[in-house]
Amino acid sequence: GNSVTQMEGPVTLSEEAFLTINCTYTATGYPSLFWYVQYPGEGLQLLLKATKADDKGSNKGFEATYRKETTSFHLEKGSVQVSDSAVYFCALTGANSKLTFGKGITLSVRP
Amino acid sequence: DAGVIQSPRHEVTEMGQEVTLRCKPISGHDYLFWYRQTMMRGLELLIYFNNNVPIDDSGMPEDRFSAKMPNASFSTLKIQPSEPRDSAVYFCASTPRGAGNYGYTFGSGTRLTVV
């Protein structure tokens, strides 16, 4: 079946540091890939997506590239801000529009 | 659009009581999902509907849990009787046909505490 593996957390960075959060997946067919963000006390919000190999999703300074050869969709940001502190989930779609989520990783950014 | 609307935002109830959580999906979305989130287990898919019909309820933990979708604009998740281990944040999400292009839109969740 489909699965998503995220790097272990939590991650703590200083403001303006470079961010990479690793995500790899196992899936049949050609899934779409997503990153969701959850701010404290809120629901999950779609951050970015990529629907086919080599697509790059981007939003709010975050980027991720759909790498079919390495089955990866790593999230990057060049300079994080305190306001980026949140939980980040990698996910993919499978059959019947079901999303499979990773376990999530907590990012804390220090001023 | 107001997004996916869940109510109540917070619910505190005593063990043994019935709890009903409510969700209004985005108009025109064919799919509706109920998730539960806890620190220990992360996000768990409980059940999902397509065009108001339950498609997969394999994630519903036990018979104490039931979900209905009487029409395209309303769904409920009921726990009867509730237990302390049901304490979690419950999310509802919806998507139009073809989640691969759109992803899900989540509600703000209901934080349930069973004492």
Side-chain angles (χ1 to χ4, degrees):
Chain A
N2 296 337
S3 67
V4 175
T5 302
Q6 293 185 232
M7 59 186 281
E8 294 285 326
V11 173
T12 301
L13 296 174
S14 297
E15 203 165 28
E16 299 184 1
F18 184 85
L19 169 71
T20 299
I21 300 177
N22 289 343
C23 171
T24 57
Y25 67 91
T26 301
T28 55
Y30 303 95
S32 293
L33 302 174
F34 303 86
W35 277 100
Y36 281 82
V37 59
Q38 184 179 28
Y39 300 104
E42 298 185 12
L44 280 74
Q45 302 174 25
L46 179 63
L47 180 59
L48 53 83
K49 66 181 180 183
T51 57
K52 61 182 186 296
D54 300 324
D55 268 2
K56 177 185 285 187
S58 61
N59 187 25
K60 299 182 180 180
F62 291 90
E63 293 183 338
T65 301
Y66 189 145
R67 301 287 189 199
K68 189 168 175 61
E69 64 276 13
T70 55
T71 62
S72 64
F73 193 54
H74 304 322
L75 182 68
E76 296 182 336
K77 187 174 185 181
S79 175
V80 293
Q81 305 300 311
V82 172
S83 57
D84 293 327
S85 298
V87 181
Y88 291 82
F89 294 89
C90 185
L92 63 81
T93 51
N96 298 323
S97 295
K98 283 178 66 174
L99 264 179
T100 299
F101 285 94
K103 292 185 181 299
I105 185 170
T106 300
L107 170 65
S108 298
V109 181
R110 299 184 300 238
Chain B
D1 199 316
V4 176
I5 299 173
Q6 292 187 246
S7 64
R9 286 298 308 272
H10 302 275
E11 177 79 37
V12 180
T13 190
E14 292 185 346
M15 182 174 61
Q17 296 297 306
E18 177 180 295
V19 176
T20 299
L21 312 181
R22 297 172 176 79
C23 175
K24 176 179 169 55
I26 292 174
S27 177
H29 281 196
D30 298 328
Y31 289 84
L32 184 140
F33 303 81
W34 282 100
Y35 281 87
R36 178 171 68 176
Q37 186 179 38
T38 61
M39 289 294 292
M40 290 296 293
R41 302 165 82 89
L43 271 169
E44 301 174 279
L45 176 63
L46 300 178
I47 185 171
Y48 78 98
F49 297 82
N50 180 22
N51 291 324
N52 313 337
V53 176
I55 302 301
D56 184 353
D57 66 353
S58 59
M60 297 285 261
E62 357 181 330
D63 291 346
R64 297 184 298 107
F65 286 69
S66 62
K68 294 182 180 179
M69 193 165 185
N71 57 62
S73 59
F74 185 65
S75 177
T76 59
L77 178 68
K78 185 177 294 186
I79 308 172
Q80 165 64 19
S82 58
E83 297 183 2
R85 59 191 168 126
D86 302 331
S87 297
V89 181
Y90 291 81
F91 289 105
C92 175
S94 69
T95 188
R97 190 170 59 179
N101 290 322
Y102 302 102
Y104 292 3
T105 301
F106 281 79
S108 298
T110 294
R111 181 174 295 276
L112 173 66
T113 303
V114 183
V115 298

